[in-house]
């Protein structure tokens, strides 16, 4: 049975009704960057704005930011009248925070709010599932959370140990200065004075002090060694795993999965470790300075210090190399929900971050971007990057003050020498080629020079927007199937994917792109379409060819092309109906008859066409005089016809002409039993009684007209003919025709054949 819920509520109202385990997930991504108080107070206004478009349009983002502040001011006026002191205080603080943080970078708050809304939709979709998906479950593993806490605890402990060792080095320095002073005092005495009993006693005291110095030197070196060892172990194990986990979460988020938080926490860990290593390095330099002033037989400094310094430098090199990450993967602003698909001569953006945030590095690191550097791809196509491909990292452009750089004006251009090879490539060849955007820089700090390199996840280069659907399928399959960040030959032999994981990702496509994910019944229908009538699909392995290259049985298109056309249809023509949950969509003709057979005549449901790309149809149940149940399905509406008439209006105005009867609307109740006008009334472009009458005028000299979808059902057919014959006439004229013309005369205008879907 189709699970219909939260139909007419705002998204925020739906979120508030979730179970506590889902509310805890929501709580994780609301912070001072976008406080939950604002989300709550301005819920409807926030949801009515296009934050996604503003995230790539600075002028639009600035207008939205200004309007947001105006909305906050209005709330302040309201709560001031109510004398709610606590809320007044919080709103003033939040307004000041938003103004200060985003005035110079309004697109950043647009990105944050867009991501929060998207994550809410994903959580709502997950809440409608009977069980949590396997991918999402793995990302929220309690073992991972425990490791994160352990890393933060150990980093803090290491920082404290390094600071304590500083005190030991200072004590050692003071002790050596005292020894040096007393030793030089004795050395300055005349030879006759050196033989006195007092001086001999002082010499014994100096020997004891030297023994203490030796002990303290060994102790300090031992403590430094332990700090270095702790850092080495942490970097080799838990911190490396944390970074790999973050990169995996980023992969999943790029294909519609949960937002990948945790980079700020990683930055804090990397920065504290770098500070600790530089602190240890200064301690070793101080020991070298002490060595030049005093050494002796068995002195541990000249033996141990070089090895320790070499280890510190090695750890710093590795820490810096791992800290250079792609924070936001390459993405065209025109297609924000299709990252890693790049079109030639179209700008894309990409953001890099250095997780070691040291003030000394601000504006000191210049990053250079290249494409396919030292990499052989599976085709002969070669590209260069046009636009500003060298920029300095800084702490001013990011709202959170991270050391980062964002390239906003890069364009891939295909080199002429490779353009001639495209004609020899098959239709899928281009969209299965993987390329790499590489970044390199150099860090010079405290006498160290460290070369850094990193790369984006594999990207697909297209030359025509018609290639985008298959290119996106390649991105989905790659990031679902592997955590290898640079396997550019992946599609030479693409592995199969677990169907349960693939279905989870397909639901994410709907929750992220069109605002509502798929429930278990809808996913079951997709599973049957991919693999037939098998009952269990948890362990079923699906091939790449079956997903994206082989045609569906009896069809001229692949599964993915069919699904992508549905996403496009929803986005452009029936988005509000889909978000409200009134489009069952994914249900077979056999299943819809099972659902409708026991329902009240006139009950209907909406489903996507299985034989027409990007088509939607409706089926209703009827009952003959002899009690026999019949079903009627209208020919699918495609985007061309929906561009002429909104789908909600079609459902309201749709008429059927039965033999010897006047036209009537057979659609009464949306499955299971929702009155049609209650479900779709708010989406009608106008109410029937508001349509202009002939006497109302309109364009001078003409009678205003409306399109009315009409089908006919013959005595020997249970299916209506095509509704593509939209009769342009005013409602009042149509009423006159019904009164004065027979159904047979009206039928002469309705001769288009019916397509069986």
């Amino acid at each position: 049975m189709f699970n219909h819920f939260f139909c007419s509520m705002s998204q925020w109202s739906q979120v508030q009704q979730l179970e506590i385990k889902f509310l805890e997930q929501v709580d994780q991504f609301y912070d001072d960057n976008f406080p939950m108080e604002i989300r709550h107070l301005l819920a409807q206004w926030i949801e009515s704005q296009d934050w996604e478009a503003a995230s790539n349009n600075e002028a639009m983002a600035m207008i939205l930011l200004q309007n947001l502040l105006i909305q906050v001011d209005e709330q302040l006026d309201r709560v001031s009248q109510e004398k709610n002191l606590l809320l007044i205080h919080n709103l003033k603080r939040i307004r000041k925070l938003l103004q200060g943080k985003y005035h110079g970078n309004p697109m950043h708050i647009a990105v944050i709010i867009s991501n929060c809304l998207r994550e809410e939709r994903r959580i709502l979709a997950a809440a409608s599932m009977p069980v949590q998906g396997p991918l999402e479950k793995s990302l929220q593993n309690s073992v991972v959370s425990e490791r994160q806490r352990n890393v933060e605890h150990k980093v803090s402990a290491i920082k404290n140990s390094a600071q304590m060792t500083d005190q030991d080095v200072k004590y050692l320095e003071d002790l050596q200065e005292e020894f040096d002073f007393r030793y030089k005092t004795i050395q300055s005495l005349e030879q006759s004075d050196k033989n006195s009993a007092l001086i001999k006693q002082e010499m014994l005291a100096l020997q004891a002090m030297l023994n203490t110095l030796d002990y303290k030197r060994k102790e300090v070196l031992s403590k430094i060694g332990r700090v270095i060892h702790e850092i080495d172990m942490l970097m080799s194990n838990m911190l490396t795993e944390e970074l790999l986990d973050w990169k995996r979460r980023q992969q999943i988020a790029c294909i519609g999965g949960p937002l990948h938080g945790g980079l700020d926490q990683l930055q804090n860990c990397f920065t504290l470790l770098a500070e600790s290593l530089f602190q240890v390095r200064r301690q070793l330099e101080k020991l070298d300075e002490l060595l030049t002033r005093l050494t002796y037989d068995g002195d541990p400094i000249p033996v141990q210090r070089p090895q320790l310094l070499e280890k510190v430098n090695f750890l710093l090199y590795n820490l810096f190399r791992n800290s250079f990450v792609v924070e936001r993967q390459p993405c065209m602003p025109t297609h924000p929900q299709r990252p890693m698909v790049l079109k030639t001569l179209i700008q894309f953006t990409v953001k890099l971050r250095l997780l070691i945030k040291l003030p000394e590095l601000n504006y000191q690191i210049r990053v250079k971007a290249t494409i396919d550097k030292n990499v052989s791809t599976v085709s002969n196509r070669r590209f260069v990057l046009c636009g500003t491909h060298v920029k300095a990292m800084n702490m001013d452009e990011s709202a959170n003050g991270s050391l980062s750089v964002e390239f906003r004006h890069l364009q891939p251009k295909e080199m002429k020498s490779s353009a001639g090879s495209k004609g020899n490539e098959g239709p899928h060849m281009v969209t299965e080629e993987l390329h790499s955007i590489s970044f390199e820089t150099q860090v010079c700090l405290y006498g160290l020079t460290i070369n850094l390199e990193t790369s984006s996840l594999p990207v697909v280069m297209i030359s025509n927007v018609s290639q985008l659907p298959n290119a996106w399928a390649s991105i989905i399959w790659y990031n679902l199937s592997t955590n290898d960040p640079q396997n550019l030959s992946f599609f030479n032999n693409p592995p199969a994917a677990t169907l349960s994981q693939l279905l989870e990702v397909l639901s994410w496509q709907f929750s992220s792109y069109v605002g509502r994910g798929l429930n278990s019944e809808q996913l079951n229908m997709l599973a049957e379409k991919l693999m037939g009538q098998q009952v269990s699909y948890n362990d079923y392995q699906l091939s790449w060819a079956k997903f994206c290259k082989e045609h569906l049985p009896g069809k001229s298109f692949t599964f993915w092309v069919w699904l992508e056309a549905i996403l496009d249809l929803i986005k452009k023509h029936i988005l509000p109906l889909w978000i409200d949950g009134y489009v069952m969509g994914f249900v077979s003709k056999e299943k819809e008859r099972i659902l409708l057979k026991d329902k009240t005549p006139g009950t209907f449901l909406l489903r996507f066409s299985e034989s027409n790309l990007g088509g939607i149809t409706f089926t209703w149940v009827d009952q003959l005089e002899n009690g026999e149940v019949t079903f009627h399905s209208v020919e699918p509406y495609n985007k061309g016809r929906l561009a002429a008439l909104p789908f909600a209006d079609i459902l309201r105005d749709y008429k059927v002409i039965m033999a010897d009867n006047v036209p009537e609307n057979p659609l009464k109740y949306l499955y299971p039993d929702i009155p049609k006008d209650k479900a779709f009334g708010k989406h009608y472009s106008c109410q029937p009684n508001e349509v202009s009458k002939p006497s109302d005028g309109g364009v001078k000299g003409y009678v205003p007209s409306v399109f009315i979808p009409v089908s006919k059902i013959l005595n020997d057919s249970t299916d209506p003919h095509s509704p593509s014959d939209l009769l342009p006439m005013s409602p009042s004229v149509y009423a006159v025709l019904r009164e004065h013309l027979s159904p047979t005369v009206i039928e002469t205008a309705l001769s288009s054949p019916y397509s069986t879907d």
Side-chain angles (χ1 to χ4, degrees):
M1 177 176 177
F2 182 64
N3 181 21
H4 175 80
F5 67 108
F6 299 143
C7 296
S8 58
M9 294 182 183
S10 70
Q11 182 171 307
W12 186 244
S13 297
Q14 297 176 38
V15 167
Q16 290 177 287
Q17 294 196 10
L18 292 171
E19 296 178 21
I20 186 66
K21 65 177 181 179
F22 295 110
L23 290 175
E24 288 174 352
Q25 295 179 36
V26 174
D27 182 61
Q28 290 177 6
F29 55 84
Y30 281 105
D31 52 26
D32 280 348
N33 288 321
F34 181 41
M36 190 180 287
E37 294 97 322
I38 297 301
R39 177 67 180 100
H40 179 77
L41 291 171
L42 305 179
Q44 290 187 333
W45 181 83
I46 286 171
E47 291 172 29
S48 66
Q49 311 304 310
D50 193 348
W51 299 100
E52 183 182 312
S55 65
N56 293 287
N57 184 322
E58 189 159 5
M60 183 179 179
M62 179 57 76
I63 292 172
L64 278 182
L65 175 59
Q66 292 170 350
N67 289 341
L68 176 63
L69 295 174
I70 291 171
Q71 293 286 328
V72 174
D73 287 338
E74 291 177 357
Q75 290 295 323
L76 260 172
D77 292 340
R78 180 183 64 80
V79 298
S80 295
Q81 294 173 6
E82 299 172 0
K83 297 182 180 179
N84 188 331
L85 184 61
L86 180 61
L87 194 52
I88 292 171
H89 172 80
N90 286 340
L91 284 178
K92 284 183 177 179
R93 179 185 62 83
I94 290 169
R95 193 199 187 287
K96 184 177 180 181
L97 183 147
L98 295 176
Q99 175 79 35
K101 183 170 283 192
Y102 300 114
H103 180 72
N105 188 7
M107 287 197 298
H108 189 69
I109 191 172
V111 169
I112 289 173
I113 296 178
S114 176
N115 286 341
C116 287
L117 293 175
R118 173 193 147 196
E119 187 67 357
E120 286 177 9
R121 293 194 296 267
R122 187 199 60 76
I123 291 174
L124 286 170
S128 70
M129 296 289 289
V131 293
Q132 193 178 38
L135 274 174
E136 186 168 354
K137 204 169 186 178
S138 68
L139 295 175
Q140 296 176 354
N141 193 320
S142 60
V143 175
V144 174
S145 301
E146 183 66 25
R147 188 179 66 231
Q148 291 171 346
R149 289 190 291 270
N150 286 340
V151 168
E152 294 174 0
H153 174 74
K154 286 183 177 295
V155 167
S156 179
I158 287 170
K159 183 68 175 173
N160 289 335
S161 296
Q163 290 173 342
M164 293 294 291
T165 307
D166 251 5
Q167 298 177 20
D168 292 328
V169 172
K170 183 68 172 65
Y171 174 79
L172 182 60
E173 184 180 17
D174 292 342
L175 185 64
Q176 182 165 320
E177 284 182 359
E178 182 184 353
F179 175 85
D180 190 51
F181 174 76
R182 291 171 67 174
Y183 181 75
K184 287 180 178 178
T185 300
I186 293 177
Q187 290 297 106
S188 65
L189 296 176
E190 296 293 335
Q191 185 64 37
S192 59
D193 296 332
K194 292 181 181 180
N195 296 323
S196 68
L198 188 62
I199 295 303
K200 289 181 178 179
Q201 185 178 355
E202 178 67 9
M203 290 293 290
L204 290 173
L206 282 176
Q207 183 60 51
M209 186 177 288
L210 183 61
N211 293 340
T212 302
L213 271 174
D214 181 62
Y215 174 79
K216 283 295 181 183
R217 284 187 174 187
K218 291 175 180 176
E219 184 182 51
V220 166
L221 287 166
S222 176
K223 288 184 177 181
I224 289 175
R226 283 199 297 271
V227 170
I228 293 172
H229 177 74
E230 288 293 327
I231 294 175
D232 189 11
M233 289 297 99
L234 185 63
M235 286 175 55
S236 301
N237 299 311
M238 287 192 288
L239 192 63
T240 299
E241 291 177 10
E242 278 296 295
L243 185 61
L244 290 175
D245 278 348
W246 176 84
K247 290 181 177 181
R248 182 57 181 159
R249 291 196 299 272
Q250 185 188 50
Q251 278 188 278
I252 296 302
C254 283
I255 56 175
L259 286 178
H260 59 294
L263 196 58
D264 288 344
Q265 290 91 330
L266 273 173
Q267 175 183 282
N268 185 55
C269 292
F270 270 82
T271 302
L272 287 176
L273 286 180
E275 290 173 348
S276 297
L277 283 169
F278 279 121
Q279 193 169 14
V280 168
R281 205 165 179 267
R282 288 191 297 271
Q283 292 165 2
L284 291 172
E285 289 171 356
K286 175 58 70 174
L287 291 180
D288 188 48
E289 181 185 323
L290 296 177
L291 175 67
T292 59
R293 287 156 41 189
L294 173 66
T295 188
Y296 49 86
D297 291 340
D299 188 351
I301 293 179
V303 177
Q304 297 183 36
R305 179 188 168 277
Q307 298 173 357
L308 293 174
L309 183 61
E310 183 181 1
K311 186 66 174 179
V312 168
N313 289 342
F314 174 77
L315 291 175
L316 278 168
Y317 279 116
N318 281 343
L319 193 67
F320 269 94
R321 285 172 180 145
N322 286 325
S323 74
F324 192 38
V325 299
V326 180
E327 179 177 353
R328 193 160 60 241
Q329 293 293 331
C331 183
M332 296 186 292
T334 51
H335 296 82
Q337 288 157 332
R338 298 290 185 266
M340 285 102 78
V341 177
L342 307 180
K343 185 177 179 296
T344 52
L345 302 181
I346 297 296
Q347 288 184 352
F348 68 90
T349 65
V350 60
K351 186 175 182 181
L352 286 295
R353 191 197 286 202
L354 192 70
L355 297 179
I356 298 174
K357 180 185 172 183
L358 299 175
E360 303 94 311
L361 298 175
N362 198 21
Y363 288 101
Q364 299 303 307
I365 304 175
R366 296 180 62 80
V367 180
K368 179 182 179 182
T370 55
I371 185 168
D372 290 337
K373 179 189 176 185
N374 301 325
V375 174
S376 59
T377 61
V378 295
S379 85
N380 295 321
R381 295 197 305 159
R382 293 293 180 267
F383 298 88
V384 293
L385 290 180
C386 303
T388 306
H389 64 282
V390 178
K391 289 188 70 177
M393 304 190 91
N394 65 84
M395 299 178 184
D396 302 328
E397 293 184 16
S398 293
N400 60 0
S402 62
L403 185 58
S404 58
V405 60
E406 183 171 10
F407 292 91
R408 298 177 182 172
H409 306 290
L410 293 175
Q411 285 184 358
K413 180 181 179 181
E414 188 166 0
M415 297 170 66
K416 290 183 179 180
S417 60
S418 68
S421 66
K422 288 186 289 186
N424 299 324
E425 296 169 349
H428 287 276
M429 184 65 72
V430 168
T431 58
E432 292 180 6
E433 292 175 8
L434 298 178
H435 300 264
S436 175
I437 311 294
S438 301
F439 307 91
E440 58 184 1
T441 188
Q442 189 177 77
V443 174
C444 298
L445 189 65
Y446 302 134
L448 289 177
T449 299
I450 307 173
N451 295 319
L452 307 180
E453 290 187 10
T454 191
S455 297
S456 70
L457 289 168
V459 301
V460 175
M461 307 295 302
I462 61 174
S463 55
N464 191 296
V465 74
S466 64
Q467 298 168 325
L468 194 146
N470 280 334
W472 179 239
S474 296
I475 295 298
I476 288 175
W477 201 266
Y478 181 94
N479 290 286
L480 168 64
S481 304
T482 180
N483 56 8
D484 186 341
Q486 281 298 298
N487 184 5
L488 300 186
S489 59
F490 175 84
F491 284 103
N492 286 350
N493 185 25
T498 303
L499 185 58
S500 58
Q501 291 187 348
L502 177 62
L503 291 174
E504 185 181 8
V505 174
L506 294 183
S507 180
W508 292 344
Q509 305 313 297
F510 284 81
S511 60
S512 63
Y513 193 63
V514 292
R516 187 184 183 90
L518 305 180
N519 61 27
S520 55
E521 288 82 6
Q522 292 167 322
L523 291 174
N524 281 335
M525 187 271 188
L526 295 183
E528 290 177 4
K529 200 163 187 67
L530 280 166
M531 54 181 266
Q533 298 297 319
Q534 297 184 39
V535 178
S536 174
Y537 54 80
N538 287 333
D539 300 321
Y540 186 85
Q541 296 289 310
L542 188 79
S543 70
W544 163 246
K546 197 163 187 178
F547 175 68
C548 191
K549 300 180 78 169
E550 297 173 0
H551 287 176
L552 289 168
K555 304 294 188 296
S556 60
F557 46 80
T558 66
F559 171 86
W560 173 250
V561 168
W562 171 73
L563 197 69
E564 178 75 13
I566 290 172
L567 280 165
D568 190 59
L569 172 80
I570 296 173
K571 185 78 168 180
K572 294 178 179 176
H573 299 290
I574 60 170
L575 187 60
L577 279 63
W578 174 261
I579 290 176
D580 277 356
Y582 288 128
V583 180
M584 185 178 294
F586 296 103
V587 57
S588 65
K589 285 183 285 187
E590 295 76 13
K591 181 68 177 291
E592 74 175 357
R593 280 158 172 71
I594 295 173
L595 295 175
L596 291 172
K597 67 178 181 178
D598 296 325
K599 294 298 177 182
T600 304
T603 301
F604 67 100
L605 56 78
L606 311 177
R607 67 175 177 84
F608 300 120
S609 171
E610 295 184 66
S611 57
N612 291 268
L613 285 178
I616 185 170
T617 182
F618 45 85
T619 299
W620 70 92
V621 63
D622 202 358
Q623 195 170 42
L624 301 179
E625 292 181 0
N626 62 5
E628 181 184 350
V629 174
T630 60
F631 304 95
H632 306 287
S633 296
V634 74
E635 182 182 2
Y637 288 85
N638 57 27
K639 59 183 180 181
R641 287 158 62 193
L642 292 174
L645 195 61
F647 193 50
D649 288 1
I650 290 174
L651 297 172
R652 179 193 64 194
D653 299 331
Y654 179 73
K655 300 291 189 296
V656 164
I657 300 177
M658 307 290 288
D660 303 324
N661 286 297
V662 296
E664 64 176 27
N665 192 323
L667 309 179
K668 307 298 182 186
Y669 303 98
L670 178 68
Y671 180 88
D673 54 7
I674 307 170
K676 179 183 65 179
D677 290 340
K678 182 179 179 181
F680 302 108
K682 68 176 181 178
H683 301 301
Y684 297 156
S685 59
C686 59
Q687 296 300 323
N689 59 4
E690 295 174 354
V691 178
S692 302
K693 298 178 181 178
S695 59
D696 291 339
V699 179
K700 188 174 181 180
Y702 293 93
V703 175
S705 65
V706 294
F707 285 108
I708 298 178
V710 183
S711 297
K712 65 178 180 179
I713 298 181
L714 303 178
N715 287 331
D716 58 349
S717 172
T718 60
D719 289 321
H721 276 237
S722 168
S724 60
D725 299 289
L726 303 176
L727 308 182
M729 63 184 77
S730 69
S732 56
V733 172
Y734 181 63
V736 172
L737 289 177
R738 287 176 55 185
E739 291 177 10
H740 295 89
L741 297 179
S742 68
T744 304
V745 175
I746 297 178
E747 286 179 22
T748 59
L750 307 172
S751 58
S752 176
Y754 171 71
S755 173
T756 58
D757 188 282

